[in-house]
Amino acid sequence: MSKMKNTIDPAVNYLLPLAKKAGIETVWDRFAAMKPQCGFGELGVCCRICWKGPCRIDPFGNGPQRGVCGADANTIVARNLARMIAGGAASHSDHGRHIALTLLEVGEGHAPAYRIKDEQKLRSIAEKLNLAPADKDIRQVAKEVALASLEDYSRQNYSIPCNWTKSTMTAERVDKLLDLGIMPHNIDAVIAEIMARTHVGCDADAANILLGGLKGALADYNGMCLSTELSDVLFGTPEPVVTTANLGVLKEDAVNIAVHGHNPLLSEIVCDVALKMNEEAKKAGAKEGINIVGICCTGNEVMMRRGIPLATNYLSQEMAIITGAVDAMVVDVQCIMPAITGVAECFHTEIITTMPVNKITGATHIEFREDSAIDSARKIVELAIDAFKRRDRRKVNIPDYKQTAIAGFSAEAIMAALSKIDAKDPLKPLIDNIINGNIQGIALFAGCNNPRTTHDNNFMTIAKELAKNNVLILATGCGAGTFAKNGLMTQEATEAYAGDSLKAVLTTIGKAAGLNGPLPLVLHMGSCVDNSRAVNVAVTIANKLGVDLDKLPLVASAPEFMSEKAVAIGTWAVALGLPTHIGIVPQIMGSSVVVEFLTEKAKDLLGGYFIVETDPKQAAAKLVAAIKERRKGLGI
Ligand code: CUV
Ligand code: SF4
C-alpha cells in the first residue's frame, strides 16, 4: 500500500523537505510518531471520568464489558461525546461572551477602541430580538442587544428558550426542539449540566446523554450566532472582497505579522494600529511596510472584512513560521498548536499570546484587554518590527504559491447580489433555480484539517464532485481556507468545475452583481462561528417555501474535522435537520447505541443525521444522494 500523502497544498509540499533538512519537527512527524494510536481511545470506550479508572471496554467481547462502576460501552461513549460537545460549546460561547460584553461597553460609552460600525445591522438584530429599536438612540440599542445576548448566559428559568436560537429558527424547528426538551435556556447552564450529568454515577442512559449533548450543541449554535452577528455590528458586515491566499502572501520586504486564532476583538485592532505604523516599519528597513496575514479563523475574520490575505489553515500553521519570514505570530484563542513556540526557536519569530487564559510556554505574553486594546496592539506591532530587524535573510523561503480568493459572502451580501436580479423578491431567483433543478442543492463545508487524512484533499475532492453535480457550495473555517488556498474561490473555478446549469446561475447572479463574470465556485462565509450565516440563509429559504429545515436539499460536510468545536457544530447541524457528513471516523464506534442514534434514530427525531464516510468520492456520492432524497420529498 502506498503511503498516504501528507498534503496537497503546494506551499506545504515545498516547505516540508526544507523542514526535514533543518531538523524541524512538524505535525506530520508527531502524528507518525504517535502511531499506532490507542484502539480503545479510537473507539471511544476508554473512560477516565473517575480515578477508580481508567477503565476500558474490550471491543471484541473477551475482556471487561463494564467499567469498575458498571458503566458499559454505550454509557462511556455517550458521556465522552457529550463532554466534547460541551468543550466546543464553551469555546465558541466564551468567544461570543467577549463580543457581547464589548458591545455592552460600547453602548455604555466605554471601550474607546471600538465603535458601532454597522448601525443598520444592529437595528435589524434588535428588531429580530423584539427590542423595538425604532425610536431609540443607537447606543441604547447596543446596550439592549448586548444585554439580551448576555441573558442567554444567565437566564435561570428553564422554560424560556435562549433569545438567539429562538429568533433565528423556523417556527416548526423551535417547536420540535422544545418538544424534545433540547432547546437551550442558558448556554453556561447547559454546559454545566452536561458536566454534571456525566459525572461518575449520574446519567447512564446513552440516548438520554445524547439528548443532553444535542442541547449542548444547540447552546453552541446560540453562542456562535451571537458571536457572528455582534461581530458584524462592531466590525462591519462582510461584503465580497478580492484577496489572495496561501503562504506566497508573505513578503520578503515587509514586516510580516500573522494573526492566528479566532476572536476578531484583538485582530481588528492590530490591523488598525499596524496601518498607522507603516512608517516605523519602513524606517526599520522593511521597504513594503507592514504586511498582515491571517491563519485559521482569525484569518477568515480579517479576510472577509478587510481583504487581508490568508496565509494558511490549521494543519499548516507551523509552515508559516518555517518560511522564516513571519516576524510575529499573534494568537488569541483556539486551534493554536503549542508546537509553534518550538518551531519559532529555530527562527527570529516572536510568538505573542494575548489572552490570560491562553498562554504558551516559550511565548511572549502581552495581555490584551478591551479597555487598553490600542496600547497592547501597539506593543505587539513594535515587537514585530524589532523581530524583523533580527530576521536572518538566509533562512527565508517564501513559497511562490498564492491564489486569488473572493471572500466575504455574508447572508446580507448574498441577498444583495440576488436583489440585483429581483429587487422586490431577492430570494426568488435562487428558489426558482433550486426548484427547476438548475441548482440541485446547497452544501456547507465546515471544520478543520486532520493529519488522519491528506491535508485539504477531502475538501477539494468532495467540493469538485458536488459542483459537477450542480450543488451550490458554501464554506467556513479551515475548509474555507482550503478552498481559498487552492483556487476554488475564483470565477475561473466556476468555469472549470461547475456543472452547466450551476455555472449558468452563478454567471447570471455574478453579472447582475457587477462581477463581470460568475460568482466564485465556493462562497466564502467566514470563520467557524459564521456557520450561523449559512443557517440564516437556509432559514430564510425554508420560511419562504413554508417548510422546515429538514425538508430542504441542504447538506453539511466536515470532511477533515478534529476539534471539539467541530463536533459541536456537526451535532447542531444534525439537530437543525441537516444530513451531515464527517470524513474522519469519530471516536464513537465502540457503542452500537450511539452510532445508531446519530446515524439513524436522529433522522426520525430531527430529520438530520450523520453520514460517516472517509472516502471523498464516496462521500460526495452520499451527499448527492441525500440531496436527491430531499428533492424527492419536496416533489421537485
Ligand atoms: Ni474555528 S476549529 S481548526 S480554526 S476549523 Fe480550523 Fe476554525 Fe477547526 Fe480550528
Ligand atoms: Fe471506570 Fe466508571 Fe470511573 Fe469511568 S466512571 S473511570 S467507567 S469506574
Side-chain angles (χ1 to χ4, degrees), residues 45-57 66-72 75-76 79-80 198-201:
V45 293
C46 162
C47 182
R48 291 185 301 103
I49 274 174
C50 91
W51 287 355
K52 300 194 297 305
C55 300
R56 51 193 173 40
I57 306 304
R66 286 181 181 273
V68 175
C69 69
D72 66 6
T75 305
I76 291 173
R79 282 199 304 219
N80 287 340
T198 55
H199 182 274
V200 56

Side-chain angles (χ1 to χ4, degrees), residues 433 438 470 494 498-510 518:
N433 279 298
N438 285 340
N470 299 303
T494 308
D500 289 339
S501 60
L502 175 66
K503 195 185 297 178
V505 179
L506 291 178
T507 305
T508 308
I509 303 173

Side-chain angles (χ1 to χ4, degrees), residues 92 260-262 296-298 300 313-314 334-335 446-449 476-479 527-529 562-563 565-566:
H92 283 138
H260 175 14
H262 279 79
C296 280
C297 280
T298 287
N300 281 314
N313 55 357
Y314 174 76
Q334 301 161 19
C335 304
C448 330
N449 320 116
T476 62
C478 287
S527 65
C528 290
V529 294
M562 60 95 202
S563 73
K565 293 180 293 165

Side-chain angles (χ1 to χ4, degrees), residues 547-589:
V547 298
D548 195 6
L549 293 168
D550 63 345
K551 302 289 180 297
L552 297 181
L554 171 64
V555 296
S557 174
E560 305 181 19
F561 83 108
M562 60 95 202
S563 73
E564 291 178 319
K565 293 180 293 165
V567 176
I569 295 171
T571 309
W572 66 243
V574 167
L576 296 193
L578 272 56
T580 302
H581 162 250
I582 49 178
I584 302 288
V585 179
Q587 293 173 7
I588 63 168
M589 304 311 265

